[in-house]
Amino acid sequence: MPAGVDNLERLEEEACREIAAAASLQALTEVRARYLGKKGSVAEVLRGIGDLAGDQRARIGQLANSAKRRIEMVVSERRRALERGQRDRTLGAERLDITLPGAEEPRAGHLHPVTRVFRDMVEFFTSMGFSIEEGPEVETEYHSFEALNIPKLHPARDEQDTFYVEGGNALRPHTSNVQIRTMTGRTPPFRFIAPGRVYRHDLSPRHYPMFHQIEGFLVDERVTFADLKGVLHAFGRHLMSDDIELRFRANHFPFTEPSAEMDYGCLLCERKGCGICSNSGWIEWGGCGMIHPQVLENCGIDPDRYQGFAFGMGVDRTALLRYGIPDIRLLFEGDLRVLEQV
Ligand code: DAH
């Protein structure tokens, strides 16, 4: 086919018409290939000009190149229009009506079971006139042990039991350090509780390396073991049930004299024995006693004038029992599937 001016103009017109008619990007690509591709019509014209005479060759060559540029331009414009159309369609289809109410109720979080038990405990003691005290979790040996009469060779001081940090301090293994910090330099009467985290080398379904205790102590001029029992009974009734039964077993703590371990009657089996109370009918609740005179003296308090009681108990086990959680580790692993059920 002889490449001529007419031929080129016709080609260009045809191309423009087809481009305008291309309804999709795919169709447009095909039209472009048909005119501008390696085997396309314009390339064919360009190949044919080799056979033309010199002056005609230059003219047709020029015309063919400008036709090529024009077609390219029209293709680009059409591509932009098609892309715009596609984007508008997508945006139209994906349009969000932000005024519509949500399909799902927003899910509110709730307090951790341990926090709930803590708050319940604190509420009881503040209603009895106790104030809340805090102490450091990284504590000196003096406040955790020495001032509490815990001798150097006592197993609680062992690295097997206590997490030591540099400089001879340790993560406190109990909240009893707060007794020393609170009493030193003050004059009785005192009524305090100290809720907080404590740390020990332990891991099992019933023990976790970090757990929570609440410590309580009261010092005044005529305090007896009967006061201690009265307060703990009222506490048990508030926390668990009006029918709670308490049992005090003789025990030894270096910082109290006399000392007792207290248990409460298992509420699930009514003391008949079940899996929760290891078939004993009783559940261990904590330690307590009358503050050792030496401890009072260590804090600068005259033990001939003042006496006091103290107690300390684990908080997590109460949360486990109250919410029916079988393993203490489930409390602290942050698994929402567990915590959401509580
Ligand atoms: N500190 C003891 C422990 O962690 C608990 C305890 C026992 C605290 C007797 C006291 C107490 O204040 O009087 O096992």
Side-chain angles (χ1 to χ4, degrees):
M1 170 178 66
V5 180
D6 291 352
N7 218 356
L8 265 176
E9 277 174 356
R10 200 163 36 78
L11 252 184
E12 203 179 305
E13 257 164 49
E14 247 173 48
C16 289
R17 228 179 304 121
E18 282 189 42
I19 291 166
S24 67
L25 286 168
Q26 170 71 22
L28 182 65
T29 308
E30 281 164 20
V31 175
R32 185 186 175 282
R34 223 176 304 131
Y35 287 92
L36 300 181
K38 269 200 198 121
K39 294 184 185 149
S41 317
V42 177
E44 201 177 303
V45 172
L46 286 171
R47 264 200 302 281
I49 63 176
D51 306 334
L52 298 175
D55 57 339
Q56 231 193 346
R57 188 192 305 169
R59 210 166 70 84
I60 301 284
Q62 233 175 29
L63 282 174
N65 277 325
S66 86
K68 197 171 151 184
R69 274 197 302 277
R70 172 134 185 265
I71 296 172
E72 199 67 88
M73 219 170 65
V74 178
V75 167
S76 304
E77 257 166 42
R78 181 69 189 143
R79 179 176 299 121
R80 274 198 297 277
L82 284 170
E83 280 170 354
R84 219 179 303 126
Q86 199 171 55
R87 199 178 55 228
D88 289 349
R89 270 194 306 281
T90 312
L91 285 179
E94 286 178 358
R95 194 153 127 221
L96 289 179
D97 181 353
I98 55 167
T99 64
L100 279 177
E104 239 183 89
E105 289 270 308
R107 289 194 302 169
H110 61 70
L111 293 174
H112 192 277
V114 171
T115 307
R116 281 201 248 169
V117 172
F118 252 144
R119 290 202 179 175
D120 208 4
M121 291 175 159
V122 167
E123 185 189 288
F124 170 80
F125 283 108
T126 48
S127 79
M128 298 257 292
F130 284 65
S131 317
I132 302 166
E133 278 296 318
E134 285 180 323
E137 287 175 29
V138 176
E139 184 56 290
T140 63
E141 286 200 71
Y142 175 77
H143 291 92
S144 283
F145 302 121
E146 237 158 87
L148 286 161
N149 258 353
I150 301 176
K152 271 259 176 303
L153 293 175
H154 194 282
R157 287 210 182 193
D158 204 295
E159 284 181 19
Q160 302 289 327
D161 286 296
T162 298
F163 294 109
Y164 284 87
V165 297
E166 277 168 22
N169 295 330
L171 297 180
R172 65 175 178 191
H174 52 189
T175 41
S176 304
N177 64 322
V178 184
Q179 287 188 35
I180 306 304
R181 290 200 172 263
T182 307
M183 293 197 288
T184 303
R186 289 196 194 164
T187 313
F190 306 132
R191 260 183 293 181
F192 288 111
I193 50 164
R197 284 189 206 103
V198 300
Y199 303 84
R200 285 182 207 173
H201 241 290
D202 239 339
L203 188 63
S204 78
R206 305 186 71 184
H207 298 93
Y208 203 73
M210 182 283 306
F211 59 104
H212 301 84
Q213 281 189 336
I214 189 164
E215 184 92 6
F217 52 102
L218 181 148
V219 180
D220 208 336
E221 289 192 26
R222 273 185 299 275
V223 184
T224 68
F225 207 99
D227 297 316
L228 169 63
K229 289 178 79 172
V231 168
L232 288 174
H233 260 290
F235 182 37
R237 280 198 296 273
H238 168 86
L239 200 63
M240 286 172 279
S241 156
D242 276 346
D243 304 323
I244 192 96
E245 282 179 271
L246 289 193
R247 171 172 91 168
F248 293 79
R249 285 180 287 118
N251 198 2
H252 169 77
F253 296 108
F255 36 90
T256 42
E257 182 56 40
S259 305
E261 191 84 59
M262 52 182 161
D263 308 324
Y264 61 87
C266 183
L267 294 162
L268 287 173
C269 61
E270 293 176 338
R271 296 218 287 106
K272 289 189 188 74
C274 66
I276 295 293
C277 58
S278 314
N279 283 318
S280 70
W282 295 95
I283 294 177
E284 265 183 40
W285 202 22
C288 61
M290 300 304 289
I291 300 174
H292 197 292
Q294 184 62 51
V295 172
L296 292 174
E297 218 168 288
N298 292 344
C299 298
I301 295 163
D302 178 3
D304 292 329
R305 179 164 173 201
Y306 295 105
Q307 321 82 47
F309 68 69
F311 59 87
M313 59 189 66
V315 175
D316 316 274
R317 209 164 286 171
T318 305
L320 296 186
L321 287 172
R322 181 182 283 187
Y323 301 108
I325 302 169
D327 187 321
I328 192 170
R329 292 170 290 195
L330 293 171
L331 278 182
F332 306 121
E333 283 167 356
D335 189 333
L336 289 181
R337 290 171 306 178
V338 175
L339 295 177
E340 274 173 353
Q341 291 179 49
V342 175

